[in-house]
């Protein structure tokens, strides 16, 4: 095959050989330029991806540190007091006892509470405080009071978190 290519090349006139060689050089230059442009575009895209990935790594590292801190913390012990008493005491401490209509114990680890007109933000802070006492919101119905903006009536079921 090599011999046939050499014979084909030598059968061309010097002018044709020059034109073929020049066309080959131009073709190589065009291919090189196209490859360089493609590589440059890909490099720029990857540079943007690297920045995003570095931000994700930073976020994941912070989350890993927080996870280790939470895992290392001693588990919170649920209050052993009567749940109904605990809920009433927390409502009194939060200044919500005047809005508390009823607290009914459904069983040892579950109570139903009814609030009349209570500011929503105060009620929300109270629920967050109960979560620190290992009491969680199981079911809830909140209705906006039409008379005063920001006031709601709440019927909720609270349960004591089960130990793990």
């Amino acid at each position: 095959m090599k011999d046939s290519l050499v014979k084909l090349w030598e059968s061309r006139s010097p002018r044709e050989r020059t034109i073929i060689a020049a066309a080959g050089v131009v073709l190589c230059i065009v291919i090189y330029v196209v490859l360089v442009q493609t590589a440059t575009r890909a490099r720029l895209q990857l540079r943007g991806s690297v920045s995003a990935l570095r931000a994700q790594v930073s976020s994941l590292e912070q989350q890993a540190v927080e996870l280790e801190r939470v895992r290392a913390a001693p588990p919170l012990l649920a209050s052993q007091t009567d749940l109904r008493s605990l809920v009433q005491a927390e409502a009194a401490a939060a200044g919500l006892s005047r809005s508390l209509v009823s607290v009914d114990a459904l069983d040892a680890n579950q109570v139903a509470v009814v609030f009349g007109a209570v500011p929503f933000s105060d009620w929300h802070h109270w629920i967050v405080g109960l979560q620190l006492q290992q009491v969680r919101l199981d079911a809830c119905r909140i209705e906006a009071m039409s008379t005063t903006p920001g006031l709601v009536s709440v019927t909720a079921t609270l349960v004591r978190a089960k130990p793990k």
Side-chain angles (χ1 to χ4, degrees), residues 91-155:
L96 299 178
S97 55
R98 67 186 182 287
S99 301
L100 188 60
V101 175
S102 68
V103 179
D104 298 320
L106 302 176
D107 62 34
N109 291 317
Q110 190 173 11
V111 295
V113 295
V114 177
F115 285 94
V118 62
F120 179 79
S121 61
D122 293 348
W123 177 82
H124 179 262
H125 287 92
W126 179 69
I127 290 297
V128 171
L130 284 175
Q131 288 177 344
L132 296 174
Q133 297 290 326
Q134 301 297 310
V135 176
R136 67 177 175 81
L137 186 62
D138 188 45
C140 182
R141 189 186 86 228
I142 302 173
E143 294 178 6
M145 304 292 287
S146 61
T147 56
T148 309
L151 292 182
V152 294
S153 66
V154 178
T155 304

Side-chain angles (χ1 to χ4, degrees), residues 14-30:
R15 182 169 192 253
E16 287 179 335
R17 285 189 220 164
T18 305
I19 292 173
I20 292 172
V25 169
V26 169
L27 181 62
C28 288
I29 291 172
V30 168

Side-chain angles (χ1 to χ4, degrees), residues 31-64:
I31 289 173
Y32 177 78
V33 168
V34 168
L35 289 176
V36 167
Q37 286 178 342
T38 303
T40 302
R41 260 188 267 123
R43 184 177 52 85
L44 292 175
Q45 288 175 344
L46 289 175
R47 182 176 287 162
S49 297
V50 167
S51 298
L53 290 173
R54 283 186 180 150
Q56 287 178 351
V57 164
S58 175
S59 174
L60 286 174
E61 286 173 347
Q62 290 172 352
Q63 290 173 3

Side-chain angles (χ1 to χ4, degrees), residues 79-91:
S79 174
Q80 297 303 317
T81 63
D82 176 46
L83 184 58
R84 184 175 187 271
S85 301
L86 175 67
V87 167
Q88 286 177 325
E90 289 293 318

